[in-house]
Amino acid sequence: MNNLNNVAVFCGSSRGRKQIYIDQAIELARYFVKNDITMINGGGSIGLMGIMTDEMIALGGKSIGVIPLHLKDLEVAHSDMDEMIVTHDMAGRMKVIVEMADAFVSLPGGFGTLDELFEVLTLSQLNIHNKPVGLLNINGFFDPLLAMLDKMRAEGYLSEFSSDLLLVDNEVEGLCKKMKKFEKSGFSVQKIIDQKTEKIG
Ligand code: AMP
């Protein structure tokens, strides 16, 4: 069982066009507060990110922002988080988040969100961390992405070991349950080499 004390959230710096995305982001913030989980995010005050932080603060939960200097200077940093860690650049930000968080969750978003999601998955794939990575598939938002992952698997670019690293659920409780139970299994350098050098049949 994994202890989820600090969970990093990757999500849009935009709000999205449907209320259901906002409602589910708020639901995740409520789950965090109810379960005494500190939320770590990119520290921005805008979009789903800002909405989640506002809810955490309103409910008396703890939130920590990790923001690179140039974004802070754009004055988009949330001003009321419990802690705001300012890093030199984006790479430094991710390093801090990966060290601090016990798990990572992605909600709907754009390039930034997908970049963060795939970075933590890649680091797990390379055994640089063993932490759970979850995808909250609100309103089927990620269905096309999951279809792409199936395609990558079918075409031999994604191993079973790697695709099992991504935990997916439509609901907050279900996803958090999966993240608590997650145990990485089957990592072997040889397996990776075998998969990457597999001959075309
Ligand atoms: P996007 O999905 O492209 O909207 O980017 C959102 C993700 O990138 C978030 O998880 C943040 O970590 C990061 N990000 C993007 N814009 C900002 C911003 N203005 N302030 C802080 N973080 C941001």
Side-chain angles (χ1 to χ4, degrees), residues 19-136:
Q19 184 62 32
I20 190 166
Y21 301 121
I22 294 172
D23 291 346
Q24 288 292 298
I26 287 176
E27 169 123 2
L28 183 61
R30 288 187 181 148
Y31 180 92
F32 286 166
V33 176
K34 198 168 140 209
N35 292 280
D36 221 5
I37 295 169
T38 297
M39 180 191 74
I40 301 167
N41 71 8
S45 58
I46 47 181
L48 278 189
M49 194 175 17
I51 287 169
M52 264 199 85
T53 301
D54 289 344
E55 187 70 14
M56 292 293 297
I57 294 168
L59 296 175
K62 189 168 174 203
S63 57
I64 300 174
V66 188
I67 195 163
L69 191 58
H70 76 279
L71 282 180
K72 185 168 180 276
D73 287 348
L74 284 176
E75 295 187 59
V76 288
H78 203 291
S79 51
D80 298 320
M81 297 183 85
D82 293 280
E83 207 181 320
M84 185 65 75
I85 299 171
V86 182
T87 62
H88 182 68
D89 54 24
M90 295 288 278
R93 170 188 21 205
M94 187 45 100
K95 199 161 181 276
V96 171
I97 291 178
V98 168
E99 274 166 19
M100 286 181 76
D102 305 313
F104 313 94
V105 180
S106 274
L107 271 59
F111 279 164
T113 301
L114 291 189
D115 172 52
E116 292 165 334
L117 169 68
F118 284 111
E119 181 158 3
V120 292
L121 280 172
T122 306
L123 294 175
S124 180
Q125 178 175 256
L126 299 174
N127 239 20
I128 290 164
H129 73 75
N130 295 316
K131 301 172 181 182
V133 180
L135 192 66
L136 191 57

